[in-house]
Amino acid sequence: MKISADLKKIFMGGLAMLMLLSISSCGKNIAFQNSIVVPAANGSVNVTKDSNKNYLIKIKISDLAEVNRLQPSKNVYVVWMETDGDIVRNIGQIKSDSGFLSSKLRATFETVTAYKPSKIFITAEDDGDIQYPGMQMILSTNQF
């Protein structure tokens, strides 16, 4: 039995569309809003759900000033996650490619959480183990 060329094209097109949809539904890629404190900083957050129904959060940032150069000077950048119930959690500190921030001022962050994030933001803090964010907001996403 021969399959017509048109039917074959439709099948291949449908298969390509299915693959594209499955790749794009794997996660959300959310850009940070422009920073007032560090205007050159930019980056994005990628949130995906893994096979255990946990959320993998990956952050990439470039042109982020060293935290001790801010006014007022701080010791660490802390990453926060807001959940649907407006609960805010400290999910870690930003690490850079080499040392705290590399000479290229690039930083990455990765963590896994059981809670679904609705917003990610970064503050500059004196202590990385704090339970509530301070007032020096560096980068933030919109609600997603």
Side-chain angles (χ1 to χ4, degrees), residues 6 10 16 37 44 46 59 63-64 85 114 124 127 129 142:
D6 289 336
I10 292 171
V37 178
S44 63
N46 184 276
I59 297 174
D63 299 318
L64 183 63
D127 179 16
D129 295 327
N142 287 322

Side-chain angles (χ1 to χ4, degrees), residues 76-80 121-125 130 133-134 136-139:
V76 65
Y77 286 115
V78 177
V79 181
W80 302 88
F121 62 98
I122 299 168
T123 60
E125 306 291 349
I130 61 172
Q136 200 166 12
M137 176 82 67
I138 305 302
L139 289 167

Side-chain angles (χ1 to χ4, degrees), residues 9 19 38 42 46 50 62 75 91-92 111 122 144:
K9 286 180 185 177
M19 289 176 60
V38 186
N42 62 68
N46 184 276
D50 68 15
S62 61
N75 296 323
I91 57 173
T111 192
I122 299 168
F144 53 88

Side-chain angles (χ1 to χ4, degrees), residues 18-97:
L18 182 62
M19 289 176 60
L20 182 63
L21 287 173
S22 68
I23 291 170
S24 65
S25 67
C26 289
K28 293 181 179 181
N29 198 27
I30 304 105
F32 280 111
Q33 298 174 5
N34 290 339
S35 172
I36 295 170
V37 178
V38 186
N42 62 68
S44 63
V45 178
N46 184 276
V47 179
T48 55
K49 200 170 187 179
D50 68 15
S51 60
N52 295 323
K53 299 185 180 179
N54 290 316
Y55 295 89
L56 174 62
I57 300 169
K58 292 182 181 180
I59 297 174
K60 291 183 181 179
I61 302 171
S62 61
D63 299 318
L64 183 63
E66 292 186 40
V67 72
N68 61 356
R69 293 183 173 245
L70 299 176
Q71 292 298 325
S73 177
K74 296 292 181 178
N75 296 323
V76 65
Y77 286 115
V78 177
V79 181
W80 302 88
M81 173 183 77
E82 187 175 310
T83 64
D84 287 335
D86 291 331
I87 297 169
V88 176
R89 298 178 185 276
N90 177 337
I91 57 173
Q93 300 174 28
I94 290 186
K95 303 291 184 207
S96 69
D97 293 336

